[in-house]
Amino acid sequence: MKVSFRDSLISGKVLQVRNTSDSANLYCKVRARNYTEGSKASYSFPLGPRAMKEVGLLEMDWAFRTGESVTIEVEGFRDLSFEVP
């Protein structure tokens, strides 16, 4: 799995999650948290082999901002946690 961000056309940033496997279907759950504002959100989605999913304001009502905490849970794998750049 590969993760990146792009600037949103609406607000904040959009998370891009790519499945780098040629055969594995992944079930992903994104959890975002803004400690300054005390807010959090989550969003679940399937991700087929070699597929990419963009997650942002339209998908989970969340505009990612620099410094926020994000965790991606994928069934069968260790969680990936990071801060928005």
Side-chain angles (χ1 to χ4, degrees):
M1 182 171 54
K2 184 177 177 183
V3 175
S4 59
F5 285 90
R6 69 167 177 83
D7 289 334
S8 170
L9 298 174
I10 301 169
S11 178
K13 297 182 180 201
V14 174
L15 172 65
Q16 298 175 312
V17 182
R18 289 179 177 84
N19 181 351
T20 57
S21 171
D22 288 324
S23 59
N25 286 302
L26 304 178
Y27 186 75
C28 306
K29 183 170 191 171
V30 174
R31 296 178 188 263
R33 179 170 220 147
N34 184 310
Y35 289 100
T36 304
E37 296 177 5
S39 56
K40 60 185 176 180
S42 64
Y43 178 72
S44 300
F45 57 95
L47 195 60
R50 301 311 244 172
M52 193 255 304
K53 175 72 174 175
E54 292 192 323
V55 179
L57 194 58
L58 298 177
E59 294 74 24
M60 66 184 275
D61 197 25
W62 189 270
F64 291 93
R65 304 206 185 284
T66 299
E68 291 177 334
S69 286
V70 178
T71 298
I72 301 176
E73 301 170 5
V74 179
E75 285 183 10
F77 294 90
R78 189 165 24 133
D79 295 353
L80 174 64
S81 296
F82 53 92
E83 280 190 5
V84 178

